[in-house]
Amino acid sequence: MQNAPRESSWRVQLQACMQIPKSRPYYTGWPHDRFVMSPAFFALIPAAGAGARAGSAVPKQYAPLLGKPMLLHTLAAFGAVPGIAAIHVVVSKEEAWLETLGGSAFPEHCQIHRVGGTTRAQSVLNGLKAIEAKPDDWVLVHDAARPCITPAMIEGLIAALKDDEVGGLLAIPVPDTVKRADSAGRVAETISREGLWLAQTPQMFRYGVLREALQRFPDVTDEAGAIERMGLKPKLVQGDARNIKATYPADFALAEAYLKAP
C-alpha cells in the first residue's frame, strides 16, 4: 500500500498549534528574565520605513505627537497590556533617530532589532527570525504609525482570537461608497461595499505559520495577505475608526485629537 502524501509543514504546524495545552509557563531568559505563559503573546512593531508621504523632516514614526515621538505612543499602549510577554521593534540597520529617544523611554520588556528590510513584509520576517518564540506562540504585528491604538483594543483582539484556529486582525467595515476609476480618472463602476472591510493592525497569528507564510509569499502588503495565500481564512475582529494610520500630514492633527480625547 502506498504511503499517504506528506502534509505541508504549515499544515502540520497549524494542527500542532490546535492541540497544545491552553497554558504552560516557560522561561524567557536574558535580558528580561521572567516566566510567561505558553502560548505567549508577543508584539512586533515594524518601524524601518522612511514615511516619505508624511512630509516630515524625520521618519514619521519619530515625528512628534503631543510632545513625544509617535513610536512611543504606540509602544506605551502595548506596554500597558499585561498579557504581552515582550515587545519587539524592528528598525533599519543604520537607524540613527532611535538613539535620541533614550532607553528609559521604552517599556521594560521592549527589545530593538536592527534587521529592517526594504519592504514591510521583509522587516516583519526578519523580526520573526530575530526573536525567540515557539511555533504556537502568538505574534501581534502592529504598524508603528498607528499611535492611537489603545490597550483595550489590543486586549479585545487577544480575547477574540486566543482560541481561534487561524488568527486574524482588527478591521472596520467600509463606511463610504466605493468607486473604481478608469485610466482617464473617470468612474468606471461603483463597487458594492457589502462585505468589504478596511484592514487595520494589530494582525495576530501563530509564530510558526506566520513565519512560513511570509517566507513563501514576500510580496504581500500585510500579514493577513500571506496567511490568506496559505489557504487559510483570518478572522475579522471589529476595530475602531480612531485606530488610524498616520500617512499624510493631515493625519497627524487627527491623531493628536484622538490621543487627547479621554
Side-chain angles (χ1 to χ4, degrees):
M1 188 169 81
Q2 292 183 338
N3 292 329
R6 182 180 180 182
E7 291 186 288
S8 64
S9 58
W10 69 265
R11 289 190 183 278
V12 173
Q13 289 181 4
L14 182 60
Q15 290 173 351
C17 291
M18 294 164 60
Q19 296 170 3
I20 58 170
K22 290 300 181 183
S23 63
R24 62 180 186 272
Y26 74 88
Y27 184 56
T28 62
W30 185 90
H32 303 291
D33 297 350
R34 58 180 182 170
F35 284 91
V36 299
M37 299 307 292
S38 177
F41 298 87
F42 297 104
L44 194 157
I45 316 294
R53 289 176 294 177
S56 174
V58 301
K60 66 179 179 181
Q61 58 268 32
Y62 301 112
L65 286 179
L66 300 182
K68 67 180 183 180
M70 181 188 302
L71 177 61
L72 295 187
H73 290 281
T74 302
L75 297 181
F78 282 91
V81 178
I84 298 295
I87 304 169
H88 299 277
V89 182
V90 177
V91 300
S92 64
K93 295 178 182 178
E94 51 281 334
E95 179 60 69
W97 291 98
L98 199 65
E99 308 303 331
T100 67
L101 303 183
S104 62
F106 296 94
E108 179 187 12
H109 53 307
C110 182
Q111 300 179 37
I112 307 298
H113 305 278
R114 293 182 175 274
V115 294
T118 56
T119 66
R120 173 201 169 86
Q122 190 176 64
S123 291
V124 173
L125 177 58
N126 290 350
L128 291 173
K129 292 178 178 178
I131 70 178
E132 291 187 10
K134 299 178 182 298
D136 55 285
D137 286 337
W138 290 103
V139 180
L140 287 76
V141 183
H142 184 69
D143 297 323
R146 290 187 186 270
C148 300
I149 188 71
T150 66
M153 295 178 198
I154 299 167
E155 290 171 343
L157 181 70
I158 291 174
L161 298 177
K162 61 184 176 66
D163 295 321
D164 193 80
E165 295 179 356
V166 176
L169 63 152
L170 289 182
I172 57 174
V174 172
D176 301 318
T177 299
V178 180
K179 306 287 186 181
R180 186 188 302 279
D182 62 17
S183 59
R186 294 184 177 276
V187 174
E189 63 175 319
T190 298
I191 301 172
S192 172
R193 66 188 180 205
E194 183 177 355
L196 294 182
W197 291 63
L198 297 173
Q200 298 182 334
T201 63
Q203 302 195 2
M204 175 175 151
F205 299 103
R206 299 281 187 181
Y207 174 86
V209 177
L210 179 57
R211 178 168 170 170
E212 181 170 348
L214 289 173
Q215 286 176 323
R216 292 179 59 185
F217 305 106
D219 58 334
V220 295
T221 56
D222 71 349
E223 295 68 47
I227 297 296
E228 292 162 36
R229 290 176 66 177
M230 296 278 278
L232 302 172
K233 292 186 176 182
K235 184 176 182 179
L236 294 166
V237 178
Q238 178 71 53
D240 192 306
R242 294 171 296 174
N243 185 22
I244 65 169
K245 186 175 182 180
T247 302
Y248 300 102
D251 297 332
F252 288 77
L254 183 58
E256 286 193 326
Y258 285 148
L259 289 170
K260 287 179 182 176

